């Protein structure tokens, strides 16, 4: 089969390698669509301490496809079924799993290797985090399930109700999916970003107010503007979905009295932020970090894929299709900000 292998930062090669072998508890999936995402882009640029263990290495984790082989112990699935497998599965046995905090599982097992024609799904992911795609949902739409599950997790932890205003910093796929969930629940949204193309999509999918940070060289003016949109109270909930220390700090400065800040975008390891202790204490800010997904949120997200509005948002997010041999170009486009997510097709055009 053909696959894209990671050889080092900036060095990925389209090569012919053997189709992965599966054991009696695994399944083999023929990849239909694999999405480029922030994690893969970071891996492309600088490698990944957890996901890349040897060189060369397969990578890519957000995908959908069709089962072409099942191990002899597999009862739940059969060949020909269209599925989406998540990028990880919890062990259900460790200290955190016992407390139902599955996303913090100490023995979490990851899947990485979907930039390929075929991918083998490890036993635990087959068991706990592989889903049959309902017939009314196409494979490309279903490939975004992981992002939607992660965002749903972040959303439900943020105490968002209809009477609150949500401010979302960041207009990548994660930021846009947060906006989509808020609009689905009729919540007022202020979207903050710096890329006009993405801000335009944010407006198109229903953000009530769209602010380009570049129009406010003075941060005081930005905060004044946000306050004017919220009866001078400031937003009750701020979600940081960009992943930079500066925007984490901005998120805490924007939040209104009694507000909640969800630091959702992971920053580079070792980075630090500065927070105003006075505001934290006297305004009673609630600061939370939310990470990853659990099988429960994945199931809920799968249900959401049947919603027409959510599907239209996904069509706006997956804005381009490229064949697998052009993966490098896909990452370059992703980085330049001219696309949001790219549907990479192993089979197309070959
Ligand atoms: Zn566990």
């Amino acid at each position: 089969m053909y696959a894209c292998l990671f050889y080092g930062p900036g060095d990925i090669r389209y090569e012919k390698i053997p189709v992965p072998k599966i054991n009696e508890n695994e399944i083999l999936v023929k990849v239909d669509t694999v999405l480029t995402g922030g994690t893969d882009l970071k891996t492309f640029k600088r490698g990944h301490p957890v996901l890349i263990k040897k060189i060369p290495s397969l990578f890519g984790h957000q995908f959908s496809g069709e089962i072409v082989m099942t191990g002899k112990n597999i009862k739940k699935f059969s060949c020909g079924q269209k599925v989406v497998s998540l990028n990880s599965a919890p062990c259900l046995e460790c200290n955190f799993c016992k407390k139902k905090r599955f996303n913090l599982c100490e023995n979490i097992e990851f899947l990485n290797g979907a930039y390929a024609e075929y991918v083998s799904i490890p036993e635990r992911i087959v068991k706990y985090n592989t889903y049959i795609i309902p017939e009314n949902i196409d494979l490309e739409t279903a490939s975004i399930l992981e992002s939607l599950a992660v965002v749903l997790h972040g959303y439900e932890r943020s105490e968002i109700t209809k009477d609150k205003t949500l401010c979302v910093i960041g207009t990548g796929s994660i930021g846009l999916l947060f906006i989509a969930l808020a609009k689905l629940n009729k919540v007022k949204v202020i979207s903050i970003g710096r890329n006009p193309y993405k801000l335009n999509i944010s407006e198109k999918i229903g953000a009530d107010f769209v602010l380009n940070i570049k129009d406010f060289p003075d941060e005081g003016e930005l905060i004044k503007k946000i306050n004017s949109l919220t009866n001078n109270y400031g937003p009750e909930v701020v979600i940081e979905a960009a992943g930079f220390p500066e925007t984490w700090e901005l998120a805490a400065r924007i939040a209104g009295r009694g507000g909640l800040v969800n630091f959702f975008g992971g920053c580079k390891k070792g980075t630090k932020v500065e927070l105003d202790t006075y505001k934290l204490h006297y305004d009673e800010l609630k600061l939370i970090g939310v990470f990853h997904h659990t099988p429960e949120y994945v199931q809920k997200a799968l249900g959401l894929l049947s919603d027409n509005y959510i599907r239209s948002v996904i069509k706006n997010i997956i804005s381009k299709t490229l064949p697998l041999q052009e993966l490098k170009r896909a990452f370059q486009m992703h980085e330049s900000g001219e696309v949001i997510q790219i549907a990479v097709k192993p089979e197309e055009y070959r």
Side-chain angles (χ1 to χ4, degrees):
M1 69 168 184
Y2 279 93
C4 273
L5 292 142
F6 175 87
Y7 274 83
D11 183 7
I12 45 174
R13 302 177 202 172
Y14 183 69
E15 290 181 349
K16 200 165 186 178
I17 58 165
V19 173
K21 290 199 170 32
I22 56 164
N23 69 27
E24 65 269 28
N25 298 311
E26 296 178 333
I27 60 176
L28 186 70
V29 171
K30 185 174 195 293
V31 178
D32 175 87
T33 302
V34 48
L35 294 184
T36 57
T39 309
D40 296 341
L41 182 61
K42 277 185 226 164
T43 302
F44 170 68
K45 283 164 66 184
R46 51 179 193 244
H48 196 288
V50 181
L51 299 175
I52 302 288
K53 293 191 179 90
K54 58 176 176 58
I55 297 288
S57 179
L58 285 159
F59 70 128
H61 60 90
Q62 187 154 219
F63 70 99
S64 60
E66 183 182 327
I67 299 176
V68 289
M69 199 187 288
T70 58
K72 69 174 172 29
N73 295 341
I74 300 291
K75 303 271 183 298
K76 214 167 114 185
F77 298 106
S78 54
C79 289
Q81 285 177 325
K82 311 269 195 300
V83 290
V84 46
S85 285
L86 272 280
N87 63 335
S88 72
C91 72
L92 306 192
E93 286 164 9
C94 73
N95 182 41
F96 292 97
C97 282
K98 279 183 187 149
K99 292 176 186 157
K100 299 200 183 313
R101 301 201 62 181
F102 302 112
N103 57 318
L104 300 181
C105 173
E106 290 173 298
N107 312 307
I108 200 159
E109 179 165 8
F110 285 104
L111 176 157
N112 209 20
Y115 289 123
E117 283 182 274
Y118 297 92
V119 58
S120 64
I121 315 298
E123 177 179 352
R124 205 199 285 166
I125 296 179
V126 173
K127 245 171 146 175
Y128 304 128
N129 243 343
T130 293
Y131 304 85
I132 295 169
I133 301 168
E135 275 186 8
N136 62 332
I137 299 165
D138 62 90
L139 285 154
E140 198 168 299
T141 301
S143 66
I144 207 167
L145 183 65
E146 179 196 321
S147 296
L148 189 59
V150 168
V151 170
L152 190 61
H153 180 205
Y155 189 88
E156 293 204 353
R157 297 272 302 274
S158 301
E159 302 171 14
I160 301 165
T161 48
K162 261 187 213 167
D163 54 333
K164 294 182 180 176
T165 298
L166 169 67
C167 179
V168 179
I169 303 175
T171 48
S173 55
I174 298 297
L176 291 172
L177 288 172
F178 269 115
I179 293 169
L181 290 185
K183 292 322 295 176
L184 189 68
N185 291 293
K186 302 189 168 42
V187 172
K188 189 164 105 179
V189 176
I190 301 170
S191 164
I192 299 181
R194 53 171 62 244
N195 176 324
Y197 162 69
K198 294 180 182 179
L199 283 167
N200 189 30
I201 291 181
S202 162
E203 191 168 15
K204 198 169 149 192
I205 66 169
D208 301 86
F209 305 101
V210 170
L211 304 177
N212 190 331
I213 213 163
K214 288 183 184 161
D215 295 337
F216 301 89
D218 173 5
E219 191 188 287
E221 290 301 313
L222 175 68
I223 292 178
K224 218 190 261 174
K225 176 72 186 171
I226 293 169
N227 286 344
S228 76
L229 302 173
T230 51
N231 293 327
N232 283 322
Y233 285 111
E236 286 90 349
V237 182
V238 181
I239 292 178
E240 199 286 346
F244 298 103
E246 311 86 73
T247 35
W248 276 45
E249 290 176 350
L250 176 67
R253 286 195 290 264
I254 286 173
R257 212 169 147 82
L260 180 147
V261 181
N262 182 342
F263 297 118
F264 197 79
C267 300
K268 207 169 156 184
K269 199 173 176 182
T271 48
K272 293 191 169 56
V273 294
E274 208 170 270
L275 299 169
D276 178 352
T277 55
Y278 192 89
K279 180 173 162 84
L280 268 184
H281 181 78
Y282 292 101
D283 281 357
E284 283 202 354
L285 291 192
K286 191 170 185 176
L287 309 181
I288 63 168
V290 180
F291 158 74
H292 212 53
H293 51 73
T294 68
E296 184 198 341
Y297 286 108
V298 181
Q299 268 156 20
K300 279 196 196 173
L302 189 63
L304 276 177
L305 289 179
S306 293
D307 182 273
N308 286 335
Y309 165 66
I310 294 293
R311 285 224 290 260
S312 73
V313 170
I314 294 168
K315 292 260 176 285
N316 278 290
I317 290 176
I318 305 176
S319 45
K320 186 157 183 71
T321 302
L322 279 177
L324 183 59
Q325 55 265 55
E326 290 185 41
L327 184 61
K328 195 168 181 171
R329 191 172 142 229
F331 285 135
Q332 285 158 349
M333 290 178 80
H334 200 121
E335 194 175 15
S336 72
E338 59 190 289
V339 293
I340 298 173
Q341 278 198 306
I342 297 175
V344 175
K345 304 276 187 177
E347 206 175 31
E348 216 113 308
Y349 317 114
R350 208 155 62 77

